[in-house]
Amino acid sequence: MSDQNRLGVFKTYKLYVGGKFPRSESGRVYEVTDSKGQWLANAPQSSRKDARDAVVAARKAFGGWSGATAYNRGQVLYRVAEMLEGRKEQFVREVAASEGLSKSKAAAVVDAAIDRWVWYAGWTDKIGQISGGANPVAGPFFNLSTPEPTGVVAVLAPQKSSFLGLVSVIAPVIATGNTAVVIASADAPLPALSLGEVLATSDLPGGVVNILSGATAELAAPLAAHQDVNAIDLTGAGAELAKELEIAAADNLKRVLRPLPAEADGSDTSTDWSAAPGTHRLTAFLETKTVWHPTGALGASGSSY
């Protein structure tokens, strides 16, 4: 049968919550268009209940993921990069349509996103060495500071950089042992929803990353006020929304990563997501635990151990 005589199979995009692909609890969808206003797909419009369900899934996954070895987390992140490499053509098409880029520029963005996953995979077992260490103290004690993951992190993904920016805010959160509830770009959610399909087949335990699509403000408000969310990344929020969310986040002393000045209007158009990311996003959602341990008394005959 020739291609002219067959009907195309349109993709049904779904949320990614708890390792599964549910439709929105509300049953709502909204139209996603390209840079020229042409229809691309219908995306699920998440509700507040979807956001709460995502938090439950993230909390359930936190113990196992944070308790995994840093080396194992690095292997999983590298596996994500491997799977993305195999589906690169699909993501090039989606990024090109979502961001209005040429195929060559979209390919460069996807390549950079894959490289970003590899970069953070390499940091999983090294971040402890630059954010922790032995502290000199006066007395017969070992004093050791070690970083630990904060917990469940709500992430407002960049609005314009629908894939590279998205990866740049998700990867450091999970690389350090946290779990994430991600609100995808409202206007360009398709690369994020497709990323969920990659994560589901990349050895990443269900619930470590949960991806929601819909109105950013509608979903961010309950997450900022949720008592079981430990931190929030406001990258994808405009200045006014970010201020409201920061006030709500103070109720249970959430860690808050404020948007950079270039991101303060929520557009992130002047943010160079391809630049070297540094370690500030890795350390943003880490807590430091300090432990004291007696060394034992040292006498003329040596150690008393």
Side-chain angles (χ1 to χ4, degrees):
M1 181 182 295
S2 67
D3 290 343
Q4 294 179 347
N5 295 327
R6 69 178 297 272
L7 293 174
V9 179
F10 290 103
K11 182 173 180 176
T12 302
Y13 287 89
K14 298 180 182 179
L15 307 177
Y16 181 56
V17 177
K20 299 179 180 179
F21 297 94
R23 292 179 169 85
S24 172
E25 170 273 338
S26 67
R28 298 179 299 171
V29 297
Y30 69 101
E31 290 188 356
V32 178
T33 59
D34 62 15
S35 59
K36 299 179 181 179
Q38 296 178 326
W39 181 86
L40 292 175
N42 289 336
Q45 186 163 342
S46 305
S47 67
R48 290 179 173 232
K49 186 177 186 305
D50 292 320
R52 292 195 298 269
D53 290 345
V55 174
V56 171
R59 176 58 61 192
K60 184 177 180 180
F62 176 69
W65 183 244
S66 61
T69 64
Y71 176 74
N72 178 248
R73 289 199 298 269
Q75 288 181 309
V76 173
L77 264 68
Y78 188 80
R79 178 62 176 166
V80 174
E82 289 180 340
M83 298 300 290
L84 282 173
E85 189 77 27
R87 296 179 60 168
K88 185 158 56 175
E89 291 185 7
Q90 173 196 348
F91 281 94
V92 168
R93 291 194 302 270
E94 290 182 338
V95 170
S98 297
E99 301 182 22
L101 301 176
S102 65
K103 186 175 181 180
S104 60
K105 289 183 178 180
V109 167
V110 173
D111 285 343
I114 296 171
D115 293 345
R116 186 63 45 87
W117 275 112
V118 175
W119 195 84
Y120 278 116
W123 269 107
T124 56
D125 58 356
K126 301 175 183 65
I127 189 63
Q129 299 170 44
I130 68 167
S131 58
N135 307 310
V137 294
F141 302 99
F142 293 120
N143 184 266
L144 306 174
S145 293
T146 57
E148 293 190 342
T150 296
V152 176
V153 181
V155 180
L156 278 62
Q159 296 297 328
K160 299 299 181 183
S161 185
S162 63
F163 192 53
L164 177 56
L166 174 80
V167 169
S168 298
V169 295
I170 294 178
V173 170
I174 64 173
T176 48
N178 298 288
T179 55
V181 176
V182 183
I183 305 175
S185 164
D187 294 331
L190 303 188
L193 297 177
S194 290
L195 178 63
E197 299 172 3
V198 172
L199 299 178
T201 55
S202 301
D203 302 326
L204 188 73
V208 173
V209 174
N210 305 275
I211 300 176
L212 306 173
S213 58
T216 299
E218 179 181 344
L219 297 171
L223 290 176
H226 201 297
Q227 297 299 297
D228 207 24
V229 173
N230 304 106
I232 187 167
D233 181 348
L234 299 176
T235 296
E240 184 175 345
L241 177 60
K243 183 177 180 179
E244 295 175 3
L245 297 176
E246 192 168 355
I247 292 172
D251 192 45
N252 73 330
L253 303 179
K254 289 181 179 65
R255 280 179 172 261
V256 176
L257 181 60
R258 298 172 179 83
L260 299 173
E263 304 159 356
D265 62 351
S267 67
D268 59 84
T269 52
S270 56
T271 302
D272 183 7
W273 291 105
S274 63
T279 60
H280 78 283
R281 289 189 178 276
L282 284 165
T283 57
F285 303 117
L286 288 173
E287 306 279 353
T288 300
K289 179 174 75 173
T290 300
V291 176
W292 293 71
H293 188 351
T295 61
L298 295 175
S301 61
S303 173
S304 64
Y305 284 135

